[in-house]
Amino acid sequence: MQVQVFSGGPFFVNTYVVYAARGGPGVVIDPGNELMKIKSFVTAHHLKIHSILLTHGHVDHILHINGVKELTSATIRMHGADRELYAGAAEMARLFGLAH
């Protein structure tokens, strides 16, 4: 298993790409920052991202979920208790002056 970490964004969070090997399956965890770097990494390594895993539904952890989903068609997975947070993320993003 290999892990690539991207740190940064407006909230300085960590996003992880966890994968077996170049060209193999993988997951993206908390796509809250560095969308272009994530896309470049996934594309350059020919990864087959099957899931986007969310540790929780705050906007800082899901800010770029749509971009990752568009690139990979991966399934979004998170604990059911966070559905309300996730559902309110667009409003939270607007409060912080961020597009979501």
Side-chain angles (χ1 to χ4, degrees), residues 1-6 14-21 24-31 33-35 37-43 45 47-49 51 68 71-72:
M1 177 184 328
Q2 299 182 57
V3 179
Q4 176 66 42
V5 181
F6 299 97
N14 292 327
T15 295
Y16 304 88
V17 178
V18 180
Y19 60 104
V27 299
V28 174
I29 303 170
D30 291 338
N33 66 72
E34 306 294 348
L35 178 61
K37 289 181 182 178
I38 295 167
K39 285 183 169 184
S40 294
F41 185 83
V42 167
T43 301
H45 288 78
L47 300 178
K48 296 166 185 72
I49 302 298
S51 296
V68 174
L71 174 69
T72 65

Side-chain angles (χ1 to χ4, degrees), residues 27 35 47 57 70 75 88 90 92 98-99:
V27 299
L35 178 61
L47 300 178
E70 182 179 300
T75 302
M92 191 183 302
L98 303 169

